[in-house]
Amino acid sequence: MACCDKSETDLWTVPLIALNVSVRKKLELYLNPRNMVAADWMVVAETMGFNYLEIQNYEATNNPTRKVLEGWQARSTDASVGKLLSVLTEVERKDIVEDLRPLIDEDVRKYCESLKKKSEPPVQVNDIDSCVPRDRVGLTLEDDPDGAPELFDAFICYCQSDFEFVHEMIQQLEQTDYKLKLCVFDRDVLPGSCVWTITSELIERRCKRMVVVISDEYLDSDACDFQTKFALSLCPGARNKRLIPVIYKSMAKPFPSILRFLTICDYTRPCTQAWFWVRLAKALSQP
C-alpha cells in the first residue's frame, strides 16, 4: 500500500485508526454542537450510513461525534481518512477539512512510517536504540533533552509584519521587573521540525497562555489562524483565560469574530496606553 504519499487517492487506503486523539478531539469540537446553519454530527452520521435509531442512541451520549467515529470504524470496511474527508466535503464542511488537513497529513505520515518500520526486519546491532521520545526532544534553544522541557508564561501569536511590536513586547515584559518568559517562534524555536507539530506542542504543553497580536495582516495569516483555533480548542468558553487578544494599531478589517467574546488589551486607545503593559503583565502572571 503506497500510502506514504499525501495524494487524495492514497488517503482512501489509510484506515481511520491513523487519526490520533488530537485530530479526533478537534472534530468533536466542530461537530458536537447542534448547528442550525452548518452540518453537525447528525448529518455526518446520516451520510456515513447510520439509521435513525442508531443516531438517536448516539444523541443520548456525552460525545456523539466520538461514538459515531468509533461505530463507523468498527463496522465499515471503507472507514478511511479519504472517505472521512469526502463525507465532510459532501455535507459542505470544507472549513473543517481546510483547518484540520495539515494535522491529518501529519498523522497519515506517522502512520505510514509506523507500517514501514513494522514491515522491515530488525537491524541486529549491539547499540541501544537512539530514538528519543517526543517529549524529550529539544524544540527550543534552551531545551535540555535530558532534563525538564523549557516552559513559558505565554506563546506570542503574530505575523511577520507585526514583529516590531513583538520586539517592544519583549522589552516591556521580559527585560523589566515583570521578568516574564515569552515564547517567540522566530527567536526561540529550533529550525528543522514540522511547524504545526512544534506549535501545537508549545501552545498545549509549554505555555500557560497565548497573546494574539491582532492586525489586518494577522487575518491573512494561515499560521496565526491555526494557532488561534488550536488554542481556543484547548479552552472552550475561555474558562481559564488562556487567550489574550492585543490590538496595537488601527485596523481596516473587522475584528475576528471567534475572539469577540474575549476581553481585548487595546494599545490604540490613548486613555489606556499608560496601563497597557501593566494589565498585560498582570494577566500573564496569573497562575
Side-chain angles (χ1 to χ4, degrees):
M1 176 173 60
C3 68
C4 288
D5 293 326
K6 294 180 181 178
S7 65
E8 201 69 48
T9 302
D10 289 331
L11 292 180
W12 287 77
T13 67
V14 180
L16 203 63
I17 58 172
L19 300 184
N20 67 20
V21 174
S22 179
V23 170
R24 292 170 185 259
K25 284 184 176 179
K26 290 177 179 60
L27 279 170
E28 294 159 14
L29 289 171
Y30 274 111
L31 296 173
N32 275 342
R34 296 298 301 273
N35 199 322
M36 300 303 294
V37 296
D40 53 28
W41 72 270
M42 283 189 170
V43 182
V44 170
E46 290 176 355
T47 308
M48 288 176 172
F50 291 95
N51 61 41
Y52 174 79
L53 291 178
E54 290 173 320
I55 292 174
Q56 289 294 106
N57 186 54
Y58 288 138
E59 190 175 20
T61 66
N62 293 328
N63 196 329
T65 299
R66 179 183 300 176
K67 293 299 182 181
V68 167
L69 291 176
E70 290 174 351
W72 189 49
Q73 181 177 308
R75 81 175 193 179
S76 178
T77 57
D78 68 343
S80 66
V81 174
K83 178 65 174 177
L84 175 62
L85 295 177
S86 174
V87 168
L88 292 172
T89 301
E90 183 179 345
V91 300
E92 299 183 350
R93 291 307 304 266
K94 292 182 180 179
D95 58 320
I96 302 178
V97 175
E98 292 173 356
D99 281 349
L100 299 189
R101 187 58 189 267
L103 297 176
I104 290 174
D105 284 344
E106 181 66 8
D107 282 354
V108 169
R109 182 189 66 80
K110 291 179 179 178
Y111 176 79
C112 291
E113 286 183 355
S114 176
L115 287 183
K116 184 177 179 181
K117 288 180 180 178
K118 290 179 180 178
S119 64
E120 293 175 350
V123 179
Q124 299 298 320
V125 293
N126 295 325
D127 295 336
I128 298 174
D129 189 354
S130 62
C131 292
V132 181
R134 179 186 172 196
D135 60 346
R136 301 303 293 271
V137 173
L139 300 182
T140 63
L141 290 175
E142 301 299 325
D143 255 351
D144 179 4
D146 296 322
E150 185 177 15
L151 302 178
F152 301 87
D153 293 299
F155 182 92
I156 310 302
C157 172
Y158 65 96
C159 63
Q160 292 298 320
S161 61
D162 297 322
F163 190 77
E164 185 176 345
F165 177 74
V166 174
H167 188 263
E168 182 180 358
M169 187 181 298
I170 292 171
Q171 293 177 323
Q172 293 288 344
L173 300 179
E174 286 191 339
Q175 301 170 11
T176 59
D177 291 339
Y178 298 123
K179 298 188 184 317
L180 291 166
K181 191 171 184 180
L182 308 180
C183 182
V184 180
F185 197 93
D186 294 295
R187 180 192 67 173
D188 298 316
V189 174
L190 292 171
S193 300
C194 173
V195 172
W196 307 108
T197 302
I198 293 177
T199 302
S200 301
E201 169 81 11
L202 291 170
I203 294 173
E204 183 173 9
R205 301 185 181 184
R206 306 286 195 93
C207 300
K208 291 194 296 183
R209 289 179 172 80
M210 185 166 88
V211 175
V212 186
V213 180
I214 309 294
S215 65
D216 288 333
E217 293 78 13
Y218 159 89
L219 297 173
D220 296 325
S221 169
D222 290 337
C224 290
D225 182 66
F226 167 78
Q227 292 167 12
T228 303
K229 290 179 178 176
F230 181 78
L232 282 173
S233 73
L234 300 175
C235 57
R239 288 188 294 270
N240 58 0
K241 301 179 182 178
R242 191 181 182 99
L243 270 77
I244 302 174
V246 167
I247 297 179
Y248 79 99
K249 64 181 180 180
S250 59
M251 296 175 59
K253 299 178 181 179
F255 188 83
S257 57
I258 60 173
L259 297 177
R260 287 188 183 278
F261 63 94
L262 297 176
T263 303
I264 302 168
C265 208
D266 193 345
Y267 192 68
T268 65
R269 298 170 59 191
C271 61
T272 60
Q273 276 189 4
W275 311 315
F276 178 85
W277 295 113
V278 176
R279 291 180 68 213
L280 184 56
K282 290 290 186 181
L284 297 179
S285 300
Q286 292 182 5

